[in-house]
Amino acid sequence: MDNLFIALFEILSFGAIVVLVVLGLGIIASMMGIFNFAQGEFVLLGAYITYVVHSAGAPVWLGMVAAPFAVGALGFVLERLVVRRFYAAPIIAMLGTYALGLIIREVVRGLIGGLYISVPEPIGGSVNLGAMHFSSWRLVIIVITVLVMGGSYLLLARTAFGLRIRASLENPALARASGISTNAIYGATFAFGAALAGLAGALIVPVFSLFADLGLRFLIQGFVAVMVGGIGSFAGPVAGAGLIGTLSAALPWVISPVIADVLVFVLAIIFIKFRPQGLISGKGV
């Protein structure tokens, strides 16, 4: 029974990590109608910034605070300089963001080489319940994920900023006629999604270490999760991330990790084939 609870905790913590990664990707896809294929590299940048700040002698947690702000600022600049030029052509926007991701990944690879760099956990140790031991840092990740999900929902559903985003999504022309700067809203939304990816990278780097391809696996899982969950709502990508994250963490307990990855993608393809609108369809928060 103890092993079962420990396994469930590992599955839950990995699912929380996938939700963190997917949340920004899902918000950009649902609110702006494009897939940001540089999202995985924003995760990588969040991890790298955390490492750099810590290497400079600062506490790890300070790097984790700096990462989402720095990555969000970079996302805002990239949206203004590159991404917004392709809103009318979503396929070209996907290719453009993919190219941006390649550039970011190769820059980081040039800085760290092929190394796997360890970053310490800000909160070490474990929480003990009888004979069971749960990683304190993974518990923190679960708590932060829940808080970020709740905060993001409130931001999009209960604030004037969220109302402007939804208005820009549903009817851009009417939103502009009402005095809403849709360009500014798109820039802020893209930056917010990038900042969430940066936060995800900062939080997970003590768990997975820093290496150049860190963001690649999460990008693929995130893309599949958004497709399975459904585009157009806040809840869809979150539901998809929970499902894909749970399967990705649970299956390696019973079959080899490689076969588990293949099986997850096959199941996702079959699901999308019969329900292309995803688990939760429709627009709205």
Side-chain angles (χ1 to χ4, degrees), residues 83-159:
V83 179
R84 71 170 47 182
R85 303 175 189 279
F86 305 121
Y87 283 145
I91 299 298
I92 297 178
M94 289 168 55
L95 296 176
T97 55
Y98 183 72
L100 284 175
L102 285 177
I103 294 171
I104 293 172
R105 191 189 318 160
E106 291 310 310
V107 168
V108 175
R109 193 191 305 277
L111 293 170
I112 67 172
L115 299 176
Y116 280 66
I117 300 172
S118 297
V119 176
E121 297 174 347
I123 301 174
S126 60
V127 175
N128 303 323
L129 294 177
M132 296 181 291
H133 308 284
F134 302 101
S135 163
S136 299
W137 183 240
R138 288 194 177 230
L139 280 172
V140 170
I141 290 177
I142 293 172
V143 172
I144 292 178
T145 299
V146 172
L147 293 176
V148 169
M149 285 174 55
S152 298
Y153 175 80
L154 292 176
L155 176 68
L156 296 174
R158 305 296 184 192
T159 67

Side-chain angles (χ1 to χ4, degrees), residues 14-187:
F14 187 80
I17 291 170
V18 175
V19 168
L20 263 182
V21 174
V22 169
L23 196 56
L25 182 66
I27 288 175
I28 292 174
S30 296
M31 301 299 171
M32 303 174 66
I34 64 169
F35 275 104
N36 173 26
F37 272 60
Q39 193 75 358
E41 276 61 44
F42 288 158
V43 174
L44 172 64
L45 279 178
Y48 180 71
I49 291 169
T50 302
Y51 158 70
V52 169
V53 173
H54 175 63
S55 298
V60 178
W61 65 263
L62 187 59
M64 292 179 173
V65 172
F69 289 99
V71 177
L74 177 64
F76 183 78
V77 172
L78 291 178
E79 193 278 339
R80 291 186 67 88
L81 295 179
V82 181
V83 179
R84 71 170 47 182
R85 303 175 189 279
F86 305 121
Y87 283 145
I91 299 298
I92 297 178
M94 289 168 55
L95 296 176
T97 55
Y98 183 72
L100 284 175
L102 285 177
I103 294 171
I104 293 172
R105 191 189 318 160
E106 291 310 310
V107 168
V108 175
R109 193 191 305 277
L111 293 170
I112 67 172
L115 299 176
Y116 280 66
I117 300 172
S118 297
V119 176
E121 297 174 347
I123 301 174
S126 60
V127 175
N128 303 323
L129 294 177
M132 296 181 291
H133 308 284
F134 302 101
S135 163
S136 299
W137 183 240
R138 288 194 177 230
L139 280 172
V140 170
I141 290 177
I142 293 172
V143 172
I144 292 178
T145 299
V146 172
L147 293 176
V148 169
M149 285 174 55
S152 298
Y153 175 80
L154 292 176
L155 176 68
L156 296 174
R158 305 296 184 192
T159 67
F161 175 67
L163 180 62
R164 292 189 178 96
I165 290 177
R166 286 180 279 128
S168 300
L169 167 70
E170 294 177 6
N171 194 326
L174 182 59
R176 284 192 289 271
S178 303
I180 297 174
S181 173
T182 53
N183 284 336
I185 291 296
Y186 289 155

Side-chain angles (χ1 to χ4, degrees), residues 173-244:
L174 182 59
R176 284 192 289 271
S178 303
I180 297 174
S181 173
T182 53
N183 284 336
I185 291 296
Y186 289 155
T189 303
F190 195 87
F192 181 61
L196 289 177
L199 174 64
L203 294 176
I204 66 176
V205 67
V207 179
F208 293 96
S209 298
L210 169 64
F211 58 101
D213 293 326
L214 174 65
L216 190 58
R217 176 180 182 181
F218 290 107
L219 171 66
I220 296 171
Q221 284 189 330
F223 178 75
V224 173
V226 171
M227 295 302 295
V228 168
I231 302 171
S233 69
F234 178 85
V238 172
L243 179 60
I244 296 299

